[in-house]
Amino acid sequence: MERIQIPEKLKQARRALDSLSQVKILDDWKFDNELKIWFLHLGISIKYETSYFPQLSQWYVIAEDEYPKGKIKLYPDVENSINVTLYHQSNNSKLEKNGLWRKGALCLERNTISGFREEPYSVDERLLYHVSRAIIWLESAAQNKLVLDNELFELPDFSLAYVSEIQFAFSENCVTYMQWQSTNSRYGIAELDVYKSKPFVYYVKCFKSLNGDIEHRTQWGNFLSKTNISTPIKAPWILLKYPPVINEWQAPETLSELIDACNNQDIDIMNVLEKVVPKIRDGKHHLLLLGFPIPRVFGGETESIFWMAMYLPVVSYGEKTAKGFRTNHKGWWFRDKREVLTRKMKLEWLISENWNQQEISQRGKLNDLLVRKKVLLLGAGCVGASVAEVLVRAGVYDLTIADSDKFEIGNLSRHVLNIGNIGESKEQSLSNYLNSLNPHANIEVRKDILTIDEEYKTNIDLDKYDIIIDCTGENNILDIFEKVIFTKSHIIASVSVGLGAKHLYITLMSGNSFSFDSFHKLISPYIQKERELIDDYNLPRNGIGCWHPTFPGRSDDIWLAASTAVKVIENYIVLKPEKTLSIVYEQKEKNGIFEGYILVEKKEDR
């Protein structure tokens, strides 16, 4: 390691550590030419005794040239520090190339250490902040207080392989956990499918016992329910009692460590593998799925199964048997143990994610009162498509789209579809797109527009739906709603935009009979003003030849209108009003600053 001149910023940061009485500088900043990082050797003393590390432990803090920006991490010294892996710590089993520290960096982020304070980014404060929090981490570890009851559960740090090439997806929640509790099998063969090649994403369709009985079938939406590979991909599965760990909270790195982790649970994994690998003797690589129950929070009841996938080497098959053995189970298994599934075999863990609806929606979803409804959307144009996308991304998965229009080149300026959809039916292409947004979406289509006959019967069974959203902007659709004899209560919403999407018109009503007279009276003055302004617009043509105009409106205007409409619909459903609500929004600017859609008029009727 070549010593070069220490940047003044790092010297200044080091001097700030003098304020910490528990910290001793053991060696000044040095530069690792291969890792391209600076490192500082520290001693940290705590008043508590623990078997995990000495009271005066040694650490390396690393920083990058751009300090106070860039990465800062604290790693345990190889000789005089922690050699197990604890909670809120990276896998501590490996050594850095320089042989000075282990790779078990402490997790010092704001959500893992008590006494939250926003991380500072000044020269004097940032290094001091990390080292101060390391002291808190060590004292908490010595008192067995690294995690507290009701703190969100974290998996151990599995060393991942093929990060950008292969992933595995499953769907588990508290309901499927109860289903697993009622099954007797604890190992078998899962059937997988794959829906893309870069990265190659496996997802599980069902889990079977060794005799072929289905123990658990995964429920996916339309996009993943279809079969992409005609012959299912087989993967052995084993259900453990709890996460496989050694050395406190360290994920296994080798088969030997996995055997030890399973032995701690009274599970002989080699005995189980001997029973399941005969199902995959085909000369191909296969996944091995290891499931284990986990709680939502530390100290809580287990409520879900998490599946970690690993890549198995190709097991013995055909003429590949142990020397002197026949081509039978005994010969193959002997070779597996001696040459394939050896104790030194490195485990190739894959990115494994729970794609359950509850997990996906944690980052933001609509109110459950709306999510649980069966929705019919009339109109797959730019407004309807944008409303549909907002709904599906926010958790509305039971949605039917009705339209009969074709997607044209002119639609590209403001529709969610793309150039590959030109010439296709809007509703089917939109359905395909929406189903691809979430693995649990069940978006269906009706390749038709809503009509009504002389006996007041509609071509679409409206009573199948809880919520009907009209985004056609056509008055005749509202006329149909007034004529229909509904047999149950519905919520009907009409969403449309005016010229240039400068106005947004929404009406909402609940019941089994509907009148839109009040809505028409409310918006008529605005519509009339827009008609008077049409001559001031250079209206875009819809095609060449005997052309007719189409209304102008940019994509940002449409998205703004759609997002506003969804919020209005959600609030209406949550409040459960008995009144009909008709409202008008208008885009506002003040002193050249855009203020958004402003509510300019509303009317409520019984």
Side-chain angles (χ1 to χ4, degrees):
M1 284 171 285
E2 176 187 349
R3 187 181 182 90
I4 60 179
Q5 186 174 0
I6 303 171
E8 186 58 39
K9 292 182 294 183
L10 290 179
K11 292 181 181 179
Q12 184 178 338
R14 181 204 61 209
R15 289 193 292 269
L17 298 181
D18 292 340
S19 63
L20 299 176
S21 60
Q22 294 171 260
V23 176
K24 181 181 180 180
I25 307 297
L26 301 178
D27 202 356
D28 206 350
W29 288 105
K30 293 183 179 179
F31 189 77
D32 189 305
N33 283 302
E34 185 175 1
L35 299 175
K36 305 299 181 185
I37 51 98
W38 290 93
F39 60 90
L40 181 68
H41 198 193
L42 305 176
I44 300 178
S45 61
I46 62 171
K47 60 184 177 180
Y48 305 101
E49 292 185 359
T50 175
S51 60
Y52 297 136
F53 45 84
Q55 283 184 275
L56 176 58
S57 56
Q58 296 184 13
W59 299 83
Y60 285 90
V61 57
I62 65 101
E64 297 178 318
D65 269 328
E66 58 263 37
Y67 179 87
K69 298 179 181 179
K71 178 174 65 175
I72 291 184
K73 290 288 184 181
L74 269 86
Y75 294 98
D77 186 296
V78 169
E79 298 295 335
N80 301 293
S81 196
I82 184 172
N83 56 19
V84 298
T85 303
L86 300 180
Y87 299 124
H88 298 325
Q89 183 183 12
S90 300
N91 194 309
N92 200 33
S93 63
K94 298 178 182 178
L95 305 185
E96 188 51 80
K97 295 177 183 177
N98 55 30
L100 297 178
W101 59 79
R102 293 179 175 274
K103 291 187 176 182
L106 304 186
C107 298
L108 304 175
E109 283 73 15
R110 60 189 183 190
N111 61 326
T112 58
I113 299 294
S114 60
F116 164 71
R117 182 169 70 90
E118 189 71 36
E119 181 176 359
Y121 279 84
S122 68
V123 172
D124 288 327
E125 292 183 294
R126 190 169 183 224
L127 179 64
L128 180 64
Y129 171 89
H130 280 266
V131 176
S132 299
R133 289 176 74 80
I135 295 172
I136 298 174
W137 190 100
L138 291 169
E139 292 180 338
S140 299
Q143 301 174 82
N144 292 318
K145 293 181 179 178
L146 269 178
V147 296
L148 304 175
D149 287 346
N150 296 319
E151 182 179 335
L152 290 176
F153 179 81
E154 293 180 0
L155 291 172
D157 180 24
F158 290 87
S159 296
L160 302 175
Y162 309 107
V163 172
S164 60
E165 293 91 2
I166 306 168
Q167 297 180 13
F168 171 68
F170 61 94
S171 180
E172 300 281 359
N173 59 16
C174 58
V175 175
T176 63
Y177 177 65
M178 291 187 289
Q179 295 170 350
W180 278 112
Q181 286 184 307
S182 64
T183 62
N184 294 322
S185 294
R186 286 297 175 262
Y187 53 85
I189 300 295
E191 293 185 354
L192 314 181
D193 205 340
V194 59
Y195 81 93
K196 63 180 297 187
S197 58
K198 291 184 179 181
F200 203 80
V201 180
Y202 293 97
Y203 62 100
V204 63
K205 288 289 194 72
C206 69
F207 295 84
K208 292 183 176 181
S209 64
L210 281 185
N211 62 15
D213 294 334
I214 294 179
E215 297 293 333
H216 177 69
R217 188 182 296 278
T218 304
Q219 298 297 322
W220 296 111
N222 289 350
F223 189 78
L224 295 185
S225 292
K226 61 186 180 182
T227 299
N228 295 298
I229 295 180
S230 56
T231 302
I233 301 169
K234 295 181 179 180
W237 63 270
I238 304 173
L239 191 57
L240 307 179
K241 297 177 182 178
Y242 43 85
V245 292
I246 58 171
N247 297 332
E248 300 298 333
W249 198 239
Q250 178 182 311
E253 296 278 317
T254 64
L255 182 56
S256 177
E257 292 177 352
L258 179 60
I259 290 172
D260 291 341
C262 291
N263 285 340
N264 293 336
Q265 305 183 32
D266 297 321
I267 296 175
D268 185 346
I269 191 170
M270 291 304 293
N271 181 51
V272 176
L273 287 174
E274 183 180 4
K275 296 176 181 178
V276 296
V277 295
K279 302 290 185 178
I280 56 169
R281 295 197 186 281
D282 54 10
K284 300 177 182 178
H285 278 287
H286 289 268
L287 301 188
L288 170 64
L289 312 180
L290 294 181
F292 43 87
I294 61 171
R296 188 181 68 85
V297 296
F298 283 105
E301 295 290 329
T302 53
E303 58 181 50
S304 181
I305 300 294
F306 194 93
W307 292 95
M308 277 300 301
M310 72 170 71
Y311 236 144
L312 286 174
V314 177
V315 297
S316 302
Y317 69 102
E319 300 297 323
K320 294 183 178 182
T321 64
K323 189 174 181 179
F325 285 80
R326 297 177 180 176
T327 54
N328 56 23
H329 172 70
K330 187 176 181 179
W332 289 319
W333 181 243
F334 263 81
R335 181 179 180 274
D336 286 336
K337 290 193 295 182
R338 292 177 181 178
E339 302 180 31
V340 182
L341 303 174
T342 66
R343 296 184 70 90
K344 293 182 180 180
M345 184 187 84
K346 180 177 173 58
L347 303 183
E348 297 183 330
W349 299 107
L350 303 183
I351 292 177
S352 302
E353 293 182 323
N354 188 357
W355 286 9
N356 188 266
Q357 179 178 339
Q358 294 177 359
E359 295 291 324
I360 296 172
S361 63
Q362 284 184 2
R363 298 189 183 187
K365 70 169 186 174
L366 293 163
N367 189 281
D368 286 341
L369 291 175
L370 175 52
V371 167
R372 292 194 295 262
K373 301 296 185 182
K374 191 175 180 65
V375 180
L376 172 65
L377 179 75
L378 302 176
C382 59
V383 175
S386 298
V387 167
E389 178 165 356
V390 174
L391 289 173
V392 172
R393 288 191 182 276
V396 175
Y397 302 145
D398 195 346
L399 174 68
T400 299
I401 303 167
D403 205 334
S404 62
D405 200 6
K406 294 289 185 182
F407 189 73
E408 301 175 346
I409 186 68
N411 298 132
L412 289 175
S413 64
R414 58 196 183 203
H415 205 283
V416 301
L417 297 178
N418 60 57
I419 196 169
N421 302 117
I422 292 174
E424 299 175 352
S425 64
K426 282 183 180 177
E427 69 282 354
Q428 188 60 62
S429 296
L430 179 60
S431 172
N432 295 339
Y433 170 69
L434 296 174
N435 278 317
S436 73
L437 297 181
N438 191 286
H440 301 282
N442 291 294
I443 314 303
E444 304 291 345
V445 298
R446 280 295 305 264
K447 296 183 179 182
D448 207 349
I449 59 174
L450 182 65
T451 60
I452 193 169
D453 62 21
E454 296 178 353
E455 297 180 354
Y456 304 116
K457 291 183 179 180
T458 55
N459 59 329
I460 299 175
D461 184 2
L462 300 181
D463 276 326
K464 289 172 54 179
Y465 306 97
D466 305 301
I467 302 172
I468 303 170
I469 304 175
D470 169 39
C471 294
T472 64
E474 301 289 344
N475 287 338
N476 67 299
I477 299 296
L478 303 187
D479 293 340
I480 291 174
F481 291 150
E482 290 183 339
K483 297 174 181 177
V484 172
I485 302 173
F486 290 97
T487 61
K488 68 173 188 177
S489 180
H490 299 267
I491 292 174
I492 287 183
S494 176
V495 178
S496 58
V497 294
L499 190 65
K502 301 306 179 186
H503 287 93
L504 169 63
Y505 309 116
I506 305 173
T507 185
L508 291 137
M509 52 192 73
S510 177
N512 55 11
S513 62
F514 303 96
S515 172
F516 295 91
D517 290 343
S518 181
F519 176 58
H520 289 312
K521 290 179 181 178
L522 178 69
I523 69 173
S524 288
Y526 298 94
I527 300 297
Q528 182 58 39
K529 288 181 181 179
E530 289 177 350
R531 288 172 179 164
E532 296 171 359
L533 292 172
I534 283 180
D535 291 339
D536 296 331
Y537 272 83
N538 183 18
L539 294 180
R541 62 166 56 182
N542 187 14
I544 297 176
C546 186
W547 70 280
H548 64 276
T550 183
F551 85 93
R554 297 192 324 223
S555 59
D556 54 327
D557 295 315
I558 300 303
W559 295 335
L560 181 63
S563 301
T564 304
V566 170
K567 289 184 181 297
V568 173
I569 294 170
E570 179 186 27
N571 290 344
Y572 183 86
I573 292 171
V574 171
L575 294 175
K576 299 179 180 179
E578 297 179 357
K579 297 180 179 179
T580 294
L581 176 64
S582 298
I583 50 183
V584 178
Y585 286 94
E586 182 176 304
Q587 288 191 23
K588 293 286 188 178
E589 290 185 4
K590 186 175 182 180
N591 298 325
I593 298 176
F594 180 67
E595 296 182 331
Y597 266 132
I598 306 298
L599 178 65
V600 292
E601 196 165 354
K602 72 174 182 178
K603 185 174 179 57
E604 293 180 300
D605 299 289
R606 287 285 180 185

